[in-house]
Amino acid sequence: MILNEKIKAAVVHVTGVNGEDLGIISTKEALQMAKDQGVDLVCLSLASSPPPCQLVNRTNYKEQVIQENAKNLKAEKGVKIKEIRLSAYIEDHDYDTKKRQAERILSSGDAVQLTVKLEKKESQEAKRLIEQLIKDLAHCGKQDKGIQVSGKQVVANLLPL
């Protein structure tokens, strides 16, 4: 990020504070405009000639750059899958707690794997529980695949919206 007097180009292509195109003007004029408006002149790229510059409020611009970097970093890392374990016969309060936990994970952008460990002949009850939980979480996540019932567990994956 090159600011104000550090811009060495003779002429620059300036964009205003609100995104309006001010055209190609000399760097001195652009710096004077920035000073008059109480903002900074920021060079966006040195790759083209004349370099594109923008008049921006420095604090707002820094916050915007930080938010973009955080978004890009999250996109690079990809989606994490976090597991929530349940039992087939769960109390209402515990169910609500697990549901809130899943909502928090999904709203932060990560995926949730709902797992019910089975004992004896609980597979139908476990499947019903997971179906209910998926229905309750429909506002913040969508089901990835079907519900997988294997020997000792029932599993379903939810992806954030």
Side-chain angles (χ1 to χ4, degrees), residues 2 20-21 41 43 55-56 58 63-64 105 113 129:
I2 301 172
E20 66 277 7
D21 186 14
L41 183 66
C43 184
L55 297 173
V56 294
R58 187 182 292 186
E63 287 175 15
Q64 184 181 344
I105 292 168
Q113 180 178 353
L129 173 71

Side-chain angles (χ1 to χ4, degrees), residues 100-140:
R100 275 195 312 273
Q101 185 180 11
E103 285 173 346
R104 190 170 51 248
I105 292 168
L106 288 167
S107 63
S108 73
D110 292 325
V112 174
Q113 180 178 353
L114 303 170
T115 305
V116 179
K117 298 288 183 187
L118 300 176
E119 296 175 20
K120 304 174 195 155
K121 303 282 183 189
E122 298 175 337
S123 65
Q124 290 305 313
E125 185 64 34
K127 193 170 180 183
R128 221 174 290 123
L129 173 71
I130 289 209
E131 286 171 351
Q132 181 63 41
L133 200 50
I134 289 170
K135 196 185 304 175
D136 290 346
L137 293 170
H139 67 279
C140 59

Side-chain angles (χ1 to χ4, degrees), residues 73-99:
L73 189 64
K74 182 98 173 161
E76 275 180 31
K77 284 184 179 179
V79 177
K80 285 184 184 173
I81 298 176
K82 299 190 178 183
E83 182 181 35
I84 295 180
R85 291 186 180 181
L86 307 143
S87 63
Y89 298 104
I90 188 170
E91 297 290 325
D92 289 342
H93 171 71
D94 295 333
Y95 176 85
D96 293 338
T97 302
K98 296 290 187 178
K99 186 175 88 173

Side-chain angles (χ1 to χ4, degrees), residues 31-45:
L31 287 171
Q32 188 58 46
M33 287 172 65
K35 192 180 258 186
D36 292 344
Q37 294 180 22
V39 295
D40 291 310
L41 183 66
V42 177
C43 184
L44 303 174
S45 170

